């Protein structure tokens, strides 16, 4: 019920924020003619794909499919709000070069290809979409990781985590975490970069919820609102 009442307001808020940012941007540009008032390109990375299914729920729901479904919804919402979005993948595939000698190196080449896309996109923010899994099935809720290489990463992660707590998961008081070398992309990327673990596939109830179009859209809306706001702030402050 909470979310049903909230959704129309959220959508309106997102659209209004988009409109007000357009005005703010116009004024800002008029006053300063700063080139950095252009919001960053958002590189959306749906984790895993193809032979790499990622985590899997007890009932057989594959992480790679949820990641892509949510990334695509996010792309639609952010594009509708005027952002330039680049997807690392739009199909069910790994990103290694199928013509190269990839024997035993598919995962390494796949991650390198995602890294290259971010590194070759000027003025970008990298957002990777994943699902969590843990041996203890009781854990649930969204968790955001940030790259320690760029100071903007932590504030993006905090904005996403806090927005999710205030609009979608009031009981979720997780703190954002700095990525270690275990998260290859966040460990290596120099651009602002975060990884969103949308929920736990190891929790049967959350896995089923994540697999519904309604929850995917609700989650995408909250993520789009947070990411959109943070990218406008980056543009206006010229970080
Ligand atoms: Zn994953």
């Amino acid at each position: 019920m909470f979310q049903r009442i909230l959704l129309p307001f959220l959508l309106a808020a997102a659209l209004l924020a988009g409109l007000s940012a357009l005005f703010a941007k116009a004024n800002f540009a008029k006053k300063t003619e700063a080139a950095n008032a252009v919001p960053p390109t958002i590189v959306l990375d749906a984790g895993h794909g193809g032979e790499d299914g990622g985590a899997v729920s007890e009932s057989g729901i594959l992480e790679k499919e949820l990641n892509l479904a949510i990334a695509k919804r996010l792309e639609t919402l952010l594009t509708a709000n005027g952002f330039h979005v680049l997807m690392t993948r739009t199909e069910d595939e790994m990103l290694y070069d199928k013509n190269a000698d990839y024997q035993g190196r598919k995962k390494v080449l796949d991650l390198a290809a995602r890294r290259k896309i971010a590194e070759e996109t000027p003025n970008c923010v990298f957002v990777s979409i994943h699902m969590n899994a843990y041996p203890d099935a009781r854990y649930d809720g969204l968790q955001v990781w940030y790259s320690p290489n760029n100071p903007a990463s932590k504030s993006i992660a905090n904005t996403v985590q806090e927005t999710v707590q205030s609009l979608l998961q009031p009981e979720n008081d997780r703190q954002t975490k700095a990525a270690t070398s275990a998260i290859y992309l966040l460990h290596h990327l120099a651009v602002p970069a975060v990884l969103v673990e949308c929920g736990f596939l190891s929790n049967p109830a959350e896995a089923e919820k994540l697999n519904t179009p309604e929850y995917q859209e609700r989650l995408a809306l909250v993520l789009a609102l947070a990411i959109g706001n943070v990218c406008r702030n980056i543009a206006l402050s010229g970080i």
Side-chain angles (χ1 to χ4, degrees):
M1 181 55 102
F2 170 70
Q3 283 117 358
R4 211 173 300 151
I5 293 168
L6 192 61
L7 255 190
F9 288 104
L10 248 183
L11 186 55
L15 292 172
L16 281 175
L19 283 176
S20 64
L22 278 180
F23 288 123
K25 199 172 119 186
N27 286 335
F28 185 80
K30 245 184 258 164
K31 279 179 201 156
T32 66
E33 294 180 358
N36 63 12
V38 177
T41 295
I42 300 157
V43 176
L44 278 182
D45 175 50
H48 311 279
E51 305 93 304
D52 174 16
V56 56
S57 77
E58 203 179 58
S59 63
I61 300 164
L62 294 173
E63 179 189 353
K64 64 172 183 175
E65 289 174 1
L66 298 183
N67 294 343
L68 186 58
I70 290 167
K72 281 184 172 175
R73 290 176 188 277
L74 206 40
E75 178 194 25
T76 302
L77 290 164
L78 287 167
T79 304
N81 269 276
F83 291 98
H84 184 225
V85 176
L86 191 60
M87 302 279 281
T88 58
R89 71 174 175 103
T90 55
E91 305 295 332
D92 180 19
E93 60 172 354
M94 289 185 89
L95 299 183
Y96 58 87
D97 181 353
K98 277 78 178 175
N99 298 313
D101 175 19
Y102 54 74
Q103 278 316 104
R105 302 169 60 226
K106 284 182 184 175
K107 186 67 183 172
V108 172
L109 293 173
D110 171 79
L111 289 171
R114 293 169 199 255
R115 177 180 173 183
K116 191 160 178 264
I117 291 169
E119 286 175 344
E120 290 181 350
T121 305
N123 185 29
C124 81
V125 163
F126 182 85
V127 179
S128 194
I129 302 294
H130 282 257
M131 303 293 146
N132 232 331
Y134 196 70
D136 188 334
R138 87 188 121 149
Y139 292 106
D140 66 358
L142 182 140
Q143 168 81 64
V144 189
W145 297 82
Y146 59 88
S147 164
N149 304 332
N150 188 306
S153 302
K154 188 175 183 180
S155 66
I156 297 168
N158 286 346
T159 301
V160 172
Q161 190 83 55
E162 286 159 14
T163 307
V164 166
Q165 184 180 14
S166 52
L167 297 178
L168 191 66
Q169 298 173 356
E171 73 296 345
N172 182 348
D173 57 359
R174 289 174 193 283
Q175 300 297 304
T176 58
K177 291 182 185 168
T180 63
S181 58
I183 304 181
Y184 173 90
L185 287 169
L186 298 195
H187 184 68
H188 285 91
L189 285 177
V191 302
V194 298
L195 185 146
V196 183
E197 302 268 24
C198 294
F200 284 77
L201 285 188
S202 44
N203 179 309
E206 189 167 43
E208 294 310 317
K209 195 165 68 168
L210 283 160
N211 202 30
T212 64
E214 294 77 17
Y215 187 71
Q216 287 172 9
E217 188 64 15
R218 207 177 297 158
L219 184 57
L221 200 47
V222 174
L223 293 177
L225 186 61
I227 295 165
N229 279 338
V230 100
C231 286
R232 280 185 206 101
N233 288 339
I234 287 174
L236 294 174
S237 63
I239 291 171

